[in-house]
Amino acid sequence: MPQDELFQVADQVVLVSGGTRGIGRALAEGFALRDAKVWITGRQSEAAESAAAGIKTSRYPVRGLGCDVEDGDQIRSAVKTVVSTEGTIDTLLNVAGVNRRQRVETYTDADYDFIVNTNQRGSFLMAQAVGREMLAAKRGGSIINVGSLNTHGPLKAVVPYAMSKNAVVGMTKGLAVEWGPAGIRVNCLDPGFILTDLTQKLWSDPTMQDWGQRNTPLGRLGRPDDLIGAAIFLASPAARFVTGQQLFVDGGFTAGYAWPIPLD
Ligand code: NAP
């Protein structure tokens, strides 16, 4: 499709970690339809390949790779595969993430490790592997991590998740400082309430839906494709002087508080 040069991502090599479903899949399609060369990953290679084949695209077919971000070797190998095929990676969308909602007293060590190893350690190892390639290529690049509105203020019953996402924000700022001189921009996209597999059960409750809509100034829950514009912006020349920032895409949820009764 024709594009404003400022927001151009055509011909960029874009790696989407966690692109088989939900937000990652929507972002992969958003970039593919704007002529980027998109690779998506998920834990299973077959699922990743079949998800890639189902993504709408314009110029280049989307490629799928198995890469479990709990395993550093799989991360480094997936990044090598993309770089040896495409020659480079211009943009990383560091999306893969998980959650388990429960009272803090009930988390097992295994629950904690599952959440933190995926969201925090996995995001770090992925950014590190891609950053190494970007540094070696000396062409700069853009890394877009995915945080959460839980970094603004945690919701109840997600303590390890909120901890891991705050770590992702800390990492974003640290990497921006460390890699800025090499022209690598690192930012964090913070989704609000987005309807995906991760949140479907929560939002299937009508009381929850009503609460979410009433407390979101734009009056609705989010869709995965609501994130596309912000991600394109962060990956494009329009954001060439933007690094180390958090961008909330949440319909205004974190802007303030709604009254429970109409006051007008
Ligand atoms: P989702 O629909 O459950 O999709 C999660 C994606 O992550 C899938 O593609 C999954 O792929 C991948 N994934 C999970 N564990 C992985 C692992 N160990 N290795 C590689 N890939 C893995 O979730 P979503 O709602 O789109 O969430 C995407 C990101 O946005 C997460 O970081 C989440 O924390 C964040 N977020 C979501 C919301 C929301 O309201 N939905 C709000 C704030 C932040 P496979 O299953 O194929 O392995």
Side-chain angles (χ1 to χ4, degrees):
M1 63 172 75
Q3 289 175 55
D4 181 333
E5 219 167 273
L6 205 53
F7 295 92
Q8 186 79 247
V9 293
D11 301 319
Q12 276 199 16
V13 179
V14 177
L15 173 59
V16 187
S17 155
T20 57
R21 296 180 281 116
I23 292 170
R25 188 188 187 286
L27 295 179
E29 193 160 283
F31 278 77
L33 286 173
R34 285 162 185 80
D35 298 335
K37 299 174 187 172
V38 177
W39 290 67
I40 63 165
T41 67
R43 282 166 284 199
Q44 306 296 332
S45 25
E46 253 180 47
E49 281 160 24
S50 109
I55 290 176
K56 280 192 224 129
T57 181
S58 170
R59 194 180 301 168
Y60 307 106
V62 175
R63 310 278 302 266
L65 270 181
C67 170
D68 187 334
V69 299
E70 287 197 81
D71 180 342
D73 288 336
Q74 288 190 36
I75 290 176
R76 289 179 284 273
S77 152
V79 168
K80 283 283 172 215
T81 301
V82 177
V83 172
S84 62
T85 312
E86 306 285 4
T88 192
I89 295 176
D90 297 296
T91 292
L92 166 67
L93 297 169
N94 216 353
V95 187
V98 293
N99 194 7
R100 283 179 185 161
R101 280 177 215 89
Q102 53 199 73
R103 296 185 64 85
V104 85
E105 319 81 277
T106 68
Y107 281 101
T108 63
D109 295 8
D111 290 324
Y112 179 90
D113 288 346
F114 173 67
I115 296 165
V116 173
N117 286 344
T118 308
N119 299 358
Q120 178 174 331
R121 183 173 178 275
S123 295
F124 171 78
L125 293 177
M126 181 59 78
Q128 182 193 50
V130 171
R132 281 178 180 146
E133 297 295 341
M134 288 176 170
L135 289 168
K138 297 189 192 322
R139 292 162 33 113
S142 172
I143 294 178
I144 301 169
N145 298 315
V146 173
S148 163
L149 54 72
N150 280 284
T151 65
H152 174 80
L155 292 154
K156 216 165 161 179
V158 293
V159 169
Y161 179 80
M163 289 165 67
S164 69
K165 291 298 186 177
N166 274 290
V168 168
V169 173
M171 174 180 83
T172 299
K173 293 178 182 176
L175 294 181
V177 170
E178 199 157 321
W179 290 344
I184 301 169
R185 297 182 298 101
V186 188
N187 292 289
C188 190
L189 201 53
D190 295 274
F193 299 127
I194 311 293
L195 294 165
T196 66
D197 293 350
L198 190 67
T199 58
Q200 200 179 27
K201 195 170 153 219
L202 190 70
W203 295 113
S204 58
D205 181 324
T207 310
M208 279 296 299
Q209 274 179 33
D210 183 53
W211 176 85
Q213 283 159 13
R214 278 192 295 105
N215 285 282
T216 301
L218 292 181
R220 65 171 174 84
L221 301 175
R223 300 186 306 264
D225 63 1
D226 287 326
L227 279 302
I228 294 173
I232 296 282
F233 162 68
L234 290 174
S236 72
R240 66 187 168 217
F241 203 49
V242 179
T243 195
Q245 301 305 306
Q246 277 190 271
L247 180 47
F248 286 88
V249 181
D250 63 357
F253 180 81
T254 53
Y257 306 97
W259 296 110
I261 54 166
L263 292 177
D264 45 310

